[in-house]
PDB file of all heavy atoms in Angstrom:
ATOM      1  N   GLY A 139     100.507  82.659 110.603  1.00 83.00           N
ATOM      2  CA  GLY A 139     100.488  83.223 109.324  1.00 83.00           C
ATOM      3  C   GLY A 139     101.210  84.638 109.200  1.00 83.00           C
ATOM      4  O   GLY A 139     101.609  85.180 110.278  1.00 83.00           O
ATOM      5  N   ALA A 140     101.412  85.090 108.002  1.00 89.00           N
ATOM      6  CA  ALA A 140     102.061  86.404 107.775  1.00 89.00           C
ATOM      7  C   ALA A 140     101.195  87.491 108.361  1.00 89.00           C
ATOM      8  O   ALA A 140     100.064  87.455 108.308  1.00 89.00           O
ATOM      9  CB  ALA A 140     102.331  86.524 106.327  1.00 89.00           C
ATOM     10  N   PRO A 141     101.949  88.554 108.658  1.00 94.00           N
ATOM     11  CA  PRO A 141     101.220  89.765 109.182  1.00 94.00           C
ATOM     12  C   PRO A 141     100.425  90.363 108.001  1.00 94.00           C
ATOM     13  O   PRO A 141     100.696  90.161 106.827  1.00 94.00           O
ATOM     14  CB  PRO A 141     102.365  90.719 109.465  1.00 94.00           C
ATOM     15  CG  PRO A 141     103.557  89.798 109.765  1.00 94.00           C
ATOM     16  CD  PRO A 141     103.384  88.718 108.902  1.00 94.00           C
ATOM     17  N   LEU A 142      99.257  91.076 108.385  1.00 97.00           N
ATOM     18  CA  LEU A 142      98.430  91.769 107.415  1.00 97.00           C
ATOM     19  C   LEU A 142      98.614  93.211 107.561  1.00 97.00           C
ATOM     20  O   LEU A 142      98.621  93.754 108.760  1.00 97.00           O
ATOM     21  CB  LEU A 142      97.072  91.346 107.581  1.00 97.00           C
ATOM     22  CG  LEU A 142      96.700  89.915 107.239  1.00 97.00           C
ATOM     23  CD1 LEU A 142      95.184  89.706 107.632  1.00 97.00           C
ATOM     24  CD2 LEU A 142      97.062  89.599 105.861  1.00 97.00           C
ATOM     25  N   PRO A 143      98.818  94.060 106.598  1.00 97.00           N
ATOM     26  CA  PRO A 143      99.157  95.442 106.593  1.00 97.00           C
ATOM     27  C   PRO A 143      98.039  96.210 107.281  1.00 97.00           C
ATOM     28  O   PRO A 143      98.343  97.332 107.876  1.00 97.00           O
ATOM     29  CB  PRO A 143      99.368  95.887 105.225  1.00 97.00           C
ATOM     30  CG  PRO A 143      98.713  94.842 104.338  1.00 97.00           C
ATOM     31  CD  PRO A 143      98.770  93.580 105.190  1.00 97.00           C
ATOM     32  N   TYR A 144      96.745  95.740 107.316  1.00 98.00           N
ATOM     33  CA  TYR A 144      95.746  96.541 107.784  1.00 98.00           C
ATOM     34  C   TYR A 144      95.247  95.985 109.326  1.00 98.00           C
ATOM     35  O   TYR A 144      94.390  96.593 109.915  1.00 98.00           O
ATOM     36  CB  TYR A 144      94.534  96.512 106.945  1.00 98.00           C
ATOM     37  CG  TYR A 144      94.184  95.080 106.445  1.00 98.00           C
ATOM     38  CD1 TYR A 144      93.409  94.320 107.172  1.00 98.00           C
ATOM     39  CD2 TYR A 144      94.591  94.704 105.291  1.00 98.00           C
ATOM     40  CE1 TYR A 144      92.946  93.072 106.880  1.00 98.00           C
ATOM     41  CE2 TYR A 144      94.145  93.454 104.831  1.00 98.00           C
ATOM     42  CZ  TYR A 144      93.407  92.628 105.645  1.00 98.00           C
ATOM     43  OH  TYR A 144      93.110  91.296 105.185  1.00 98.00           O
ATOM     44  N   LEU A 145      96.108  94.929 109.761  1.00 98.00           N
ATOM     45  CA  LEU A 145      95.739  94.475 111.142  1.00 98.00           C
ATOM     46  C   LEU A 145      96.972  94.639 111.937  1.00 98.00           C
ATOM     47  O   LEU A 145      97.783  93.640 112.068  1.00 98.00           O
ATOM     48  CB  LEU A 145      95.236  93.137 111.159  1.00 98.00           C
ATOM     49  CG  LEU A 145      93.767  92.830 110.576  1.00 98.00           C
ATOM     50  CD1 LEU A 145      93.348  91.313 110.438  1.00 98.00           C
ATOM     51  CD2 LEU A 145      92.679  93.660 111.359  1.00 98.00           C
ATOM     52  N   LYS A 146      97.265  95.763 112.446  1.00 97.00           N
ATOM     53  CA  LYS A 146      98.464  95.932 113.327  1.00 97.00           C
ATOM     54  C   LYS A 146      98.153  96.303 114.769  1.00 97.00           C
ATOM     55  O   LYS A 146      97.049  96.793 115.048  1.00 97.00           O
ATOM     56  CB  LYS A 146      99.201  97.147 112.628  1.00 97.00           C
ATOM     57  CG  LYS A 146      99.736  96.903 111.193  1.00 97.00           C
ATOM     58  CD  LYS A 146     100.805  95.831 111.163  1.00 97.00           C
ATOM     59  CE  LYS A 146     101.415  95.755 109.794  1.00 97.00           C
ATOM     60  NZ  LYS A 146     102.363  94.698 109.669  1.00 97.00           N
ATOM     61  N   ALA A 147      99.171  96.140 115.575  1.00 98.00           N
ATOM     62  CA  ALA A 147      98.936  96.511 116.930  1.00 98.00           C
ATOM     63  C   ALA A 147      98.999  98.044 117.097  1.00 98.00           C
ATOM     64  O   ALA A 147      99.875  98.686 116.560  1.00 98.00           O
ATOM     65  CB  ALA A 147     100.073  95.871 117.818  1.00 98.00           C
ATOM     66  N   PHE A 148      98.136  98.597 117.951  1.00 98.00           N
ATOM     67  CA  PHE A 148      98.185 100.001 118.347  1.00 98.00           C
ATOM     68  C   PHE A 148      97.332 100.294 119.547  1.00 98.00           C
ATOM     69  O   PHE A 148      96.425  99.451 119.854  1.00 98.00           O
ATOM     70  CB  PHE A 148      97.638 100.872 117.126  1.00 98.00           C
ATOM     71  CG  PHE A 148      96.233 100.678 116.833  1.00 98.00           C
ATOM     72  CD1 PHE A 148      95.168 101.477 117.550  1.00 98.00           C
ATOM     73  CD2 PHE A 148      95.652  99.760 115.964  1.00 98.00           C
ATOM     74  CE1 PHE A 148      93.837 101.393 117.282  1.00 98.00           C
ATOM     75  CE2 PHE A 148      94.338  99.591 115.855  1.00 98.00           C
ATOM     76  CZ  PHE A 148      93.464 100.414 116.434  1.00 98.00           C
ATOM     77  N   VAL A 149      97.671 101.249 120.336  1.00 98.00           N
ATOM     78  CA  VAL A 149      96.967 101.695 121.470  1.00 98.00           C
ATOM     79  C   VAL A 149      95.679 102.320 121.039  1.00 98.00           C
ATOM     80  O   VAL A 149      95.708 103.395 120.449  1.00 98.00           O
ATOM     81  CB  VAL A 149      97.846 102.528 122.397  1.00 98.00           C
ATOM     82  CG1 VAL A 149      97.007 102.999 123.612  1.00 98.00           C
ATOM     83  CG2 VAL A 149      99.099 101.782 122.840  1.00 98.00           C
ATOM     84  N   ASP A 150      94.571 101.785 121.474  1.00 98.00           N
ATOM     85  CA  ASP A 150      93.321 102.175 120.976  1.00 98.00           C
ATOM     86  C   ASP A 150      92.827 103.190 122.047  1.00 98.00           C
ATOM     87  O   ASP A 150      91.928 102.967 122.778  1.00 98.00           O
ATOM     88  CB  ASP A 150      92.323 100.948 120.974  1.00 98.00           C
ATOM     89  CG  ASP A 150      91.069 101.370 120.199  1.00 98.00           C
ATOM     90  OD1 ASP A 150      90.939 102.431 119.557  1.00 98.00           O
ATOM     91  OD2 ASP A 150      90.035 100.559 120.294  1.00 98.00           O
ATOM     92  N   ALA A 151      93.315 104.391 121.892  1.00 97.00           N
ATOM     93  CA  ALA A 151      93.033 105.381 122.950  1.00 97.00           C
ATOM     94  C   ALA A 151      93.374 106.769 122.381  1.00 97.00           C
ATOM     95  O   ALA A 151      94.058 106.929 121.372  1.00 97.00           O
ATOM     96  CB  ALA A 151      93.885 105.189 124.129  1.00 97.00           C
ATOM     97  N   PRO A 152      92.956 107.919 123.069  1.00 97.00           N
ATOM     98  CA  PRO A 152      93.462 109.212 122.694  1.00 97.00           C
ATOM     99  C   PRO A 152      94.873 109.264 122.738  1.00 97.00           C
ATOM    100  O   PRO A 152      95.705 108.498 123.282  1.00 97.00           O
ATOM    101  CB  PRO A 152      92.784 110.078 123.643  1.00 97.00           C
ATOM    102  CG  PRO A 152      91.530 109.423 124.112  1.00 97.00           C
ATOM    103  CD  PRO A 152      92.036 107.853 124.221  1.00 97.00           C
ATOM    104  N   SER A 153      95.405 110.334 121.982  1.00 95.00           N
ATOM    105  CA  SER A 153      96.912 110.464 121.728  1.00 95.00           C
ATOM    106  C   SER A 153      97.627 110.522 123.053  1.00 95.00           C
ATOM    107  O   SER A 153      98.775 110.206 123.113  1.00 95.00           O
ATOM    108  CB  SER A 153      97.197 111.700 120.839  1.00 95.00           C
ATOM    109  OG  SER A 153      96.702 112.869 121.426  1.00 95.00           O
ATOM    110  N   SER A 154      97.098 111.099 124.109  1.00 93.00           N
ATOM    111  CA  SER A 154      97.763 111.192 125.363  1.00 93.00           C
ATOM    112  C   SER A 154      98.224 109.972 125.929  1.00 93.00           C
ATOM    113  O   SER A 154      99.284 109.779 126.461  1.00 93.00           O
ATOM    114  CB  SER A 154      96.942 112.077 126.374  1.00 93.00           C
ATOM    115  OG  SER A 154      95.610 111.452 126.525  1.00 93.00           O
ATOM    116  N   LEU A 155      97.205 108.970 125.902  1.00 94.00           N
ATOM    117  CA  LEU A 155      97.533 107.644 126.417  1.00 94.00           C
ATOM    118  C   LEU A 155      98.458 106.906 125.483  1.00 94.00           C
ATOM    119  O   LEU A 155      99.367 106.163 125.923  1.00 94.00           O
ATOM    120  CB  LEU A 155      96.271 106.821 126.662  1.00 94.00           C
ATOM    121  CG  LEU A 155      96.456 105.514 127.342  1.00 94.00           C
ATOM    122  CD1 LEU A 155      97.026 105.532 128.641  1.00 94.00           C
ATOM    123  CD2 LEU A 155      95.145 104.682 127.382  1.00 94.00           C
ATOM    124  N   GLN A 156      98.265 107.134 124.114  1.00 95.00           N
ATOM    125  CA  GLN A 156      99.120 106.418 123.184  1.00 95.00           C
ATOM    126  C   GLN A 156     100.642 106.875 123.410  1.00 95.00           C
ATOM    127  O   GLN A 156     101.530 106.162 123.346  1.00 95.00           O
ATOM    128  CB  GLN A 156      98.734 106.888 121.781  1.00 95.00           C
ATOM    129  CG  GLN A 156      97.522 106.217 121.210  1.00 95.00           C
ATOM    130  CD  GLN A 156      97.143 106.638 119.790  1.00 95.00           C
ATOM    131  OE1 GLN A 156      97.938 107.234 119.176  1.00 95.00           O
ATOM    132  NE2 GLN A 156      96.059 106.158 119.275  1.00 95.00           N
ATOM    133  N   ALA A 157     100.805 108.194 123.786  1.00 94.00           N
ATOM    134  CA  ALA A 157     102.239 108.672 123.936  1.00 94.00           C
ATOM    135  C   ALA A 157     102.912 108.051 125.103  1.00 94.00           C
ATOM    136  O   ALA A 157     104.162 107.857 125.132  1.00 94.00           O
ATOM    137  CB  ALA A 157     102.205 110.234 124.046  1.00 94.00           C
ATOM    138  N   SER A 158     102.076 107.681 126.134  1.00 94.00           N
ATOM    139  CA  SER A 158     102.773 107.089 127.319  1.00 94.00           C
ATOM    140  C   SER A 158     102.886 105.601 127.257  1.00 94.00           C
ATOM    141  O   SER A 158     103.530 105.017 128.141  1.00 94.00           O
ATOM    142  CB  SER A 158     101.811 107.501 128.532  1.00 94.00           C
ATOM    143  OG  SER A 158     100.453 106.706 128.453  1.00 94.00           O
ATOM    144  N   LEU A 159     102.365 104.956 126.135  1.00 96.00           N
ATOM    145  CA  LEU A 159     102.514 103.560 126.000  1.00 96.00           C
ATOM    146  C   LEU A 159     102.957 103.195 124.589  1.00 96.00           C
ATOM    147  O   LEU A 159     102.310 102.704 123.680  1.00 96.00           O
ATOM    148  CB  LEU A 159     101.082 102.830 126.182  1.00 96.00           C
ATOM    149  CG  LEU A 159     100.444 103.049 127.550  1.00 96.00           C
ATOM    150  CD1 LEU A 159      99.071 102.680 127.529  1.00 96.00           C
ATOM    151  CD2 LEU A 159     101.247 102.254 128.577  1.00 96.00           C
ATOM    152  N   PRO A 160     104.281 103.429 124.312  1.00 96.00           N
ATOM    153  CA  PRO A 160     104.858 103.116 122.990  1.00 96.00           C
ATOM    154  C   PRO A 160     104.841 101.620 122.795  1.00 96.00           C
ATOM    155  O   PRO A 160     105.004 100.887 123.748  1.00 96.00           O
ATOM    156  CB  PRO A 160     106.329 103.663 123.125  1.00 96.00           C
ATOM    157  CG  PRO A 160     106.616 103.785 124.557  1.00 96.00           C
ATOM    158  CD  PRO A 160     105.365 104.076 125.295  1.00 96.00           C
ATOM    159  N   LEU A 161     104.682 101.169 121.596  1.00 97.00           N
ATOM    160  CA  LEU A 161     104.755  99.743 121.123  1.00 97.00           C
ATOM    161  C   LEU A 161     106.155  99.378 120.622  1.00 97.00           C
ATOM    162  O   LEU A 161     106.706 100.354 119.915  1.00 97.00           O
ATOM    163  CB  LEU A 161     103.611  99.459 120.330  1.00 97.00           C
ATOM    164  CG  LEU A 161     102.235  99.624 120.710  1.00 97.00           C
ATOM    165  CD1 LEU A 161     101.267  99.207 119.655  1.00 97.00           C
ATOM    166  CD2 LEU A 161     101.917  99.036 121.989  1.00 97.00           C
ATOM    167  N   PRO A 162     106.582  98.355 120.651  1.00 97.00           N
ATOM    168  CA  PRO A 162     106.052  97.112 121.399  1.00 97.00           C
ATOM    169  C   PRO A 162     105.907  97.385 122.838  1.00 97.00           C
ATOM    170  O   PRO A 162     106.768  97.970 123.499  1.00 97.00           O
ATOM    171  CB  PRO A 162     107.008  95.892 121.069  1.00 97.00           C
ATOM    172  CG  PRO A 162     108.249  96.577 120.821  1.00 97.00           C
ATOM    173  CD  PRO A 162     107.929  97.918 120.145  1.00 97.00           C
ATOM    174  N   LEU A 163     104.747  96.885 123.476  1.00 96.00           N
ATOM    175  CA  LEU A 163     104.489  97.165 124.841  1.00 96.00           C
ATOM    176  C   LEU A 163     105.408  96.400 125.808  1.00 96.00           C
ATOM    177  O   LEU A 163     105.363  95.096 125.678  1.00 96.00           O
ATOM    178  CB  LEU A 163     103.036  96.805 125.148  1.00 96.00           C
ATOM    179  CG  LEU A 163     102.279  97.523 126.257  1.00 96.00           C
ATOM    180  CD1 LEU A 163     102.358  98.979 126.060  1.00 96.00           C
ATOM    181  CD2 LEU A 163     100.812  97.117 126.288  1.00 96.00           C
ATOM    182  N   GLN A 164     106.156  96.993 126.546  1.00 93.00           N
ATOM    183  CA  GLN A 164     106.990  96.250 127.424  1.00 93.00           C
ATOM    184  C   GLN A 164     106.289  95.900 128.803  1.00 93.00           C
ATOM    185  O   GLN A 164     105.130  96.346 128.967  1.00 93.00           O
ATOM    186  CB  GLN A 164     108.111  97.187 127.790  1.00 93.00           C
ATOM    187  CG  GLN A 164     109.084  97.623 126.753  1.00 93.00           C
ATOM    188  CD  GLN A 164     109.584  96.466 125.915  1.00 93.00           C
ATOM    189  OE1 GLN A 164     110.148  95.559 126.507  1.00 93.00           O
ATOM    190  NE2 GLN A 164     109.557  96.509 124.581  1.00 93.00           N
ATOM    191  N   PRO A 165     106.821  94.993 129.498  1.00 92.00           N
ATOM    192  CA  PRO A 165     106.024  94.604 130.754  1.00 92.00           C
ATOM    193  C   PRO A 165     105.618  95.694 131.580  1.00 92.00           C
ATOM    194  O   PRO A 165     104.444  95.673 132.135  1.00 92.00           O
ATOM    195  CB  PRO A 165     107.003  93.731 131.456  1.00 92.00           C
ATOM    196  CG  PRO A 165     107.948  93.188 130.388  1.00 92.00           C
ATOM    197  CD  PRO A 165     108.034  94.205 129.409  1.00 92.00           C
TER     198      PRO A 165
END
């Protein structure tokens, strides 16, 4: 199905971990 604007991929963590894991997540 089509993407939904309110259900997106994101790193569910504080900003420090988010910064080290940019999306799309590579291997």
Side-chain angles (χ1 to χ4, degrees):
L142 293 175
Y144 50 83
L145 289 177
K146 297 292 188 184
F148 67 92
V149 175
D150 192 13
S153 56
S154 57
L155 185 58
Q156 289 183 3
S158 66
L159 295 169
L161 300 186
L163 206 58
Q164 301 302 313

